[in-house]
Amino acid sequence: MIKWAIIFAIAALVLALLGFGGLAGAAMEIAKILFWLAVIIAVILFVLGLTIYKKVT
């Protein structure tokens, strides 16, 4: 998911350089959403990993 966030961020930069402001803004918003979604999923999996590890050992 981070890979897609980076791809959308790079696409937004290229679109901004070419003068497509609306598309660049949309791509950047998608990149931000994907980034924060990946961070939230990583934190949830980290917490679950800690709790499951304590129950297993």
Side-chain angles (χ1 to χ4, degrees):
M1 196 166 300
I2 293 290
K3 182 173 89 171
W4 281 103
I6 292 170
I7 290 170
F8 274 102
I10 291 171
L13 290 173
V14 170
L15 288 169
L17 287 174
L18 294 176
F20 297 102
L23 289 175
M28 199 56 170
E29 288 298 318
I30 292 171
K32 281 195 269 187
I33 290 169
L34 288 174
F35 173 76
W36 286 113
L37 189 63
V39 168
I40 291 169
I41 290 172
V43 168
I44 289 171
L45 290 175
F46 178 72
V47 170
L48 285 175
L50 286 177
T51 57
I52 291 172
Y53 175 75
K54 287 182 181 178
K55 289 182 180 181
V56 171
T57 58

